[in-house]
Amino acid sequence: MDALAIAGRYYDAWIHHAGDMTGVPLAADFTFTGPVAGFDSAAGYRAMAAQAGAAVRSFRVRHQFATDRMVCSIVDWEMDPLPGTLTAAELLHVRDGQIVQGELIYDAEDLRRVMAAATDPLRLLRRGYDDTAELIERVTADGWAAPGPCTGWTVRQTANHLTGGLLLITRVAEGTPPDPAEIDAQAQADIDHLGTDPAGALRAVAGRSLVALGEPGVLQREFPFLGGLSSGVTLASICLLETLVHGWDIAQGAEIDHPADEEVVDAVWAYARHAIGDDQRRAGMFAEPLPITPAADTFVALLAHLGRRA
């Protein structure tokens, strides 16, 4: 069996068998290097592949180049919890009918960020909720009445929209999806979710959100949401995005400081740059992206991607 045929069995395991490498001829001392993980035995790599394969949504070999003892492949794959497509070059070295070495080459920065957030997404979400609640405590009466960056909304309407939206997502995670008519940005902005204690109202919804998302298995479960299915991790990512960005909106309108948490910003940017695109903009959920300079920091890039100018 030539090198290309042996590599074909390797990729068939990713494409059709969820990473199960049982039938793939890996040498016992197979070594693998990549930007996220490395292995020095076939047993270790098989265990990783079986675990990672369960999260792979799709896998495609785009191009291949082969010699007698090496196959270079350009591959595309989609993997939970990362939105969008990852593209990589992979080198497989073959000797005596076995794959003896693998090397995966790609920019893994987004994957690292999402993996870091996915290991404990509620930690960052809790931090985001706390930061925005503390910000809301500093809004004055004049600040609540001031116009916010969202066209036609006051700062209070923006905070109502945020609190109401988080409540709707929480209900999805609790297993009681809202009526489609409730999922209307303007309707949520016009409902008084804040009462006489806006920060307390947000904290109450945030606490309920953390309880719902923290139930065993919820982050891995899929829920009907916005006409499709979204995992619990995705729901948590949306909550974090909404909390960070609308917190910034509130701060801008009320003219108070918004000390964005760097780790939260990184996690939201890693999610938003792939999850927010033309479909969401055509649906009216986000404005068109704005140009930025190459030197712009991550938060500026995130805001510009969502149609906001820092």
Side-chain angles (χ1 to χ4, degrees):
M1 187 180 295
D2 64 20
L4 197 57
I6 291 171
R9 294 173 65 177
Y10 173 87
Y11 288 114
D12 184 68
W14 284 115
I15 296 169
H16 298 295
H17 301 288
D20 182 357
M21 296 281 163
T22 301
V24 179
L26 300 180
D29 59 350
F30 171 78
T31 60
F32 179 88
T33 57
V36 174
F39 301 89
D40 58 8
S41 72
Y45 184 80
R46 289 182 198 276
M48 178 283 298
Q51 182 178 18
V56 172
R57 299 191 301 272
S58 69
F59 196 105
R60 179 173 72 96
V61 178
R62 190 194 300 176
H63 298 294
Q64 285 187 316
F65 312 90
T67 66
D68 291 343
R69 303 182 66 176
M70 185 183 73
V71 177
C72 175
S73 304
I74 308 300
V75 299
D76 295 329
W77 79 99
E78 297 179 2
M79 180 178 182
D80 291 330
L82 186 70
T85 301
L86 296 166
T87 298
E90 186 168 34
L91 301 175
L92 297 178
H93 298 266
V94 178
R95 185 173 62 244
D96 300 329
Q98 293 183 313
I99 303 174
V100 297
Q101 181 183 355
E103 182 181 3
L104 192 63
I105 305 166
Y106 67 102
D107 181 357
E109 185 59 29
D110 284 349
L111 181 59
R112 287 194 192 97
R113 289 176 177 175
V114 172
M115 287 175 64
T119 56
D120 187 7
L122 301 189
R123 174 181 62 87
L124 288 184
L125 187 55
R126 184 177 293 106
R127 187 186 302 174
Y129 285 158
D130 287 344
D131 288 348
T132 300
E134 290 173 7
L135 181 151
I136 284 176
E137 287 179 332
R138 294 188 281 118
V139 178
T140 65
D142 288 342
W144 285 121
C150 298
T151 304
W153 287 358
T154 64
V155 168
R156 187 176 179 90
Q157 284 177 299
T158 303
N160 274 323
H161 166 76
L162 169 62
T163 307
L166 295 177
L167 180 58
L168 293 178
I169 297 172
T170 298
R171 288 167 57 191
V172 171
E174 291 172 339
T176 56
D179 186 281
E182 295 181 83
I183 306 177
D184 179 86
Q186 186 64 53
Q188 291 302 322
D190 291 338
I191 295 172
D192 183 16
H193 295 285
L194 303 178
T196 59
D197 181 9
L202 179 64
R203 286 195 172 97
V205 173
R208 181 173 165 182
S209 167
L210 292 168
V211 169
L213 292 167
E215 288 293 322
V218 164
L219 292 178
Q220 292 73 40
R221 195 178 308 157
E222 290 193 323
F223 299 87
F225 186 62
L226 296 179
L229 291 175
S230 296
S231 69
V233 168
T234 298
L235 295 181
S237 296
I238 294 171
C239 288
L240 189 62
L241 182 152
E242 291 286 297
T243 302
L244 173 67
V245 174
H246 286 311
W248 180 85
D249 290 336
I250 292 166
Q252 291 299 296
E255 298 184 349
I256 55 179
D257 290 338
H258 180 266
D261 183 284
E262 184 175 348
E263 192 176 359
V264 170
V265 170
D266 284 347
V268 172
W269 176 230
Y271 170 78
R273 68 189 301 177
H274 295 291
I276 308 303
D278 291 340
D279 289 346
Q280 289 74 23
R281 294 187 177 99
R282 281 192 292 267
M285 299 168 66
F286 296 93
E288 290 298 313
L290 300 176
I292 56 173
T293 66
D297 65 26
T298 303
F299 195 32
V300 171
L302 167 65
L303 293 172
H305 184 68
L306 302 179
R308 289 165 166 82
R309 190 178 304 280

